[in-house]
């Protein structure tokens, strides 16, 4: 197929099957233990660990301005294996600032648990594994836990006007925590 060069432009990025997202406009961010004060139940255990240890990182593309309606954002999050006390490494978790907006997540590598909590604090959990697809409805807080012993990477696609409300989870927490039990991960109501 011949294409006129005038209509050809570079793709927004390269999404690898390994979960790595590359491209000129990819924005990378990470969260270290020192950034996660109050996130894990055992705060004294967190303070005894290396504060510079990376818990998770994100690589995202934002093709339109943050907050603009009608656009989509795309990102990959990698959570390292590990625990604070007996609680697995996880994301901070958030409601969307524009609270009734939804989001897709999908598993790329590793295994984990997606916690979804409604405004009534009822929690649902779905297992994330390579190829699994997860729809997070509006008005639902979401957090991902790496419950395995390898790196967990998942993809995400969300509306450009969704925004993030981390404060509500920081204040109120999730109603369920995922901990290491004798026979595997266990969901513990708090
Ligand atoms: Ni979200």
């Amino acid at each position: 197929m011949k294409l006129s060069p005038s209509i050809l432009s570079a793709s927004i990025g390269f999404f690898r099957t390994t979960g790595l997202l590359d491209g000129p406009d990819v924005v990378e961010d990470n969260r270290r233990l020192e950034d996660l004060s109050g996130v894990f139940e055992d705060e004294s255990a967190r303070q005894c660990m290396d504060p510079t240890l990376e818990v998770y990182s994100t690589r995202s593309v934002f093709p339109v301005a943050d907050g603009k309606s009608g656009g989509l954002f795309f990102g990959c999050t990698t959570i390292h294996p590990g625990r604070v006390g007996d609680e697995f490494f996880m994301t901070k978790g958030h409601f969307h600032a524009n609270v009734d907006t939804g989001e897709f997540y999908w598993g790329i590598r590793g295994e984990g648990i997606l916690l979804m909590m409604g405004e009534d604090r009822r929690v649902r959990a779905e297992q994330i594994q390579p190829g699994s697809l997860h729809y997070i409805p509006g008005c639902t807080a979401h957090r991902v836990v790496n419950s395995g012993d390898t790196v967990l990477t998942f993809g995400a696609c969300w509306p450009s006007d969704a925004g993030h409300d981390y404060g509500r989870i920081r204040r109120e927490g999730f109603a369920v925590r995922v901990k290491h039990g004798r026979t595997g991960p266990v969901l513990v109501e708090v």
Side-chain angles (χ1 to χ4, degrees):
M1 178 172 61
K2 267 193 169 178
L3 289 174
S4 159
S6 63
I7 64 164
L8 271 178
S9 62
S11 68
I12 195 169
F14 285 91
F15 177 58
R16 318 284 184 188
T17 52
T18 56
L20 201 61
L21 177 64
D22 288 320
D25 300 320
V26 168
V27 176
E28 190 163 9
D29 199 4
N30 63 17
R31 295 282 182 274
R32 302 177 187 278
L33 274 175
E34 62 193 353
D35 305 318
L36 299 173
S37 166
V39 170
F40 296 94
E41 189 174 61
D42 192 341
E43 182 63 13
S44 59
R46 185 190 69 88
Q47 289 174 358
C48 290
M49 297 170 71
D50 176 2
T52 66
L53 185 67
E54 183 180 277
V55 176
Y56 62 97
S57 62
T58 58
R59 295 174 72 89
S60 308
V61 284
F62 305 103
V64 299
D66 191 16
K68 181 176 166 59
S69 65
L72 293 169
F73 293 154
F74 179 97
C76 293
T77 298
T78 293
I79 310 177
H80 298 284
R83 296 198 298 268
V84 174
D86 57 0
E87 190 173 13
F88 290 104
F89 279 5
M90 60 186 178
T91 61
K92 287 201 290 189
H94 58 268
F95 282 96
H96 288 160
N98 191 357
V99 73
D100 62 354
T101 52
E103 183 164 4
F104 274 115
Y105 278 3
W106 58 97
I108 296 169
R109 61 177 170 173
E111 296 196 347
I113 295 170
L114 167 61
L115 295 177
M116 290 181 278
M117 181 177 73
E119 295 189 298
D120 58 2
R121 297 190 60 76
R122 287 178 62 159
V123 174
R124 289 195 300 122
E126 293 184 5
Q127 274 191 293
I128 300 181
Q129 55 193 302
S132 63
L133 181 64
H134 310 272
Y135 178 64
I136 301 159
C139 304
T140 303
H142 35 295
R143 158 179 283 170
V144 173
V145 182
N146 184 352
S147 55
D149 50 16
T150 61
V151 159
L152 168 67
T153 299
F154 64 95
C157 185
W158 68 102
S160 50
D161 62 350
H164 293 90
D165 176 3
Y166 293 106
R168 191 163 162 191
I169 294 302
R170 190 164 54 238
R171 290 188 302 274
E172 302 170 8
F174 265 72
V176 166
R177 291 184 178 274
V178 184
K179 296 186 175 182
H180 180 257
R182 268 185 294 181
T183 56
V186 287
L187 302 177
V188 181
E189 287 187 62
V190 293

